[in-house]
Amino acid sequence: DSGVTQTPKHLITATGQRVTLRCSPRSGDLSVYWYQQSLDQGLQFLIQYYNGEERAKGNILERFSAQQFPDLHSELNLSSLELGDSALYFCASSDRLAGGYTDTQYFGPGTRLTVL
Amino acid sequence: GESVGLHLPTLSVQEGDNSIINCAYSNSASDYFIWYKQESGKGPQFIIDIRSNMDKRQGQRVTVLLNKTVKHLSLQIAATQPGDSAVYFCAETYRAAGNKLTFGGGTRVLVKP
């Protein structure tokens, strides 16, 4: 158990809908990262937050957004869902600002999103 | 651009034998490398990491080797056990670009009893 929790574990929805994925980082960790894992793209970095502020963006679609709250939990919002958004979404956390050294990321169990 | 190349082979290994998983990376500026293990239905699990100023690091039954000259990373698992069956990913990061991880494609390890 990494200490990172994600809810829900599974999510099934229809095209065009909007969903919210939730992540609670390990106790004390200030950074939260979101990754998408699909069969054709592998594990892809989406976005990072540190202590409530966005720090880095990767291959995140404009239909997707995220935020980190004062209690450090994070939410990933996916809107106007398409079939191709079906994937595993992982959250990871670490304890230091990007740019620090060996900022090991620990991953949660993921949310499996199925868009029908 | 940054990329960590890891074709997705399947490595079949006899229980008790040693396993070697290889990874090539393309960003010579990467300064931190990590190996993750992912079991079916679970998130990636940290195994071992190595800094770019090192060429070898050992953990419990695992060793990571880094060859910066040819931009190659490997993970050695000693005395492979059935519980080692999983997909293994290498990842790299470059501090100046933040701490985002760039993952390789993964290697599936199957341990035969």
Side-chain angles (χ1 to χ4, degrees):
Chain A
D1 185 357
S2 67
V4 179
T5 60
Q6 290 186 248
T7 57
K9 190 172 177 63
H10 300 280
L11 198 50
I12 301 174
T13 189
T15 55
Q17 295 299 303
R18 172 189 170 94
V19 297
T20 298
L21 282 54
R22 182 188 170 103
C23 167
S24 292
R26 295 186 315 160
S27 178
D29 282 359
L30 298 178
S31 278
V32 170
Y33 311 78
W34 287 97
Y35 292 84
Q36 179 191 59
Q37 185 175 36
S38 60
L39 287 176
D40 58 344
Q41 294 292 322
L43 269 160
Q44 299 275 326
F45 169 76
L46 294 178
I47 197 165
Q48 178 203 358
Y49 277 82
Y50 174 82
N51 203 21
E53 294 187 3
E54 182 184 305
R55 284 297 178 179
K57 259 186 175 181
N59 300 319
I60 188 167
L61 300 172
E62 287 189 8
R63 300 183 285 109
F64 296 0
S65 65
Q67 56 184 327
Q68 186 180 28
F69 295 87
D71 67 352
L72 301 176
H73 90 272
S74 178
E75 293 182 354
L76 179 67
N77 301 297
L78 315 177
S79 61
S80 302
L81 285 167
E82 302 175 359
L83 296 177
D85 297 327
S86 295
L88 278 164
Y89 291 85
F90 289 104
C91 168
S93 75
S94 66
D95 60 358
R96 283 191 291 176
L97 177 63
Y101 198 86
T102 58
D103 206 0
T104 303
Q105 295 179 35
Y106 295 90
F107 283 75
T111 293
R112 180 174 294 278
L113 174 66
T114 302
V115 183
L116 301 175
Chain B
E2 300 173 357
S3 68
V4 178
L6 181 61
H7 298 294
L8 189 56
T10 296
L11 177 65
S12 292
V13 58
Q14 201 69 36
E15 181 179 356
D17 288 350
N18 297 334
S19 304
I20 300 176
I21 306 166
N22 297 302
C23 174
Y25 64 94
S26 61
N27 186 358
S28 57
S30 293
D31 55 7
Y32 179 50
F33 304 87
I34 313 101
W35 281 99
Y36 284 93
K37 169 187 179 183
Q38 188 175 23
E39 297 175 281
S40 181
K42 297 185 178 180
Q45 175 189 353
F46 173 85
I47 301 174
I48 192 167
D49 58 3
I50 189 167
R51 306 176 183 186
S52 59
N53 62 353
M54 304 170 68
D55 55 19
K56 181 180 180 178
R57 192 165 187 220
Q58 289 184 294
Q60 187 177 9
R61 285 199 307 116
V62 294
T63 300
V64 55
L65 299 177
L66 175 63
N67 185 332
K68 293 182 290 295
T69 302
V70 295
K71 291 185 285 188
H72 184 268
L73 191 68
S74 68
L75 177 69
Q76 300 177 2
I77 305 173
T80 312
Q81 302 171 358
D84 294 327
S85 293
V87 177
Y88 290 79
F89 294 94
C90 64
E92 55 96 6
T93 188
Y94 170 45
R95 271 184 292 171
N99 196 39
K100 63 177 184 177
L101 295 174
T102 300
F103 283 86
T107 294
R108 184 176 303 279
V109 172
L110 295 176
V111 181
K112 297 177 290 185

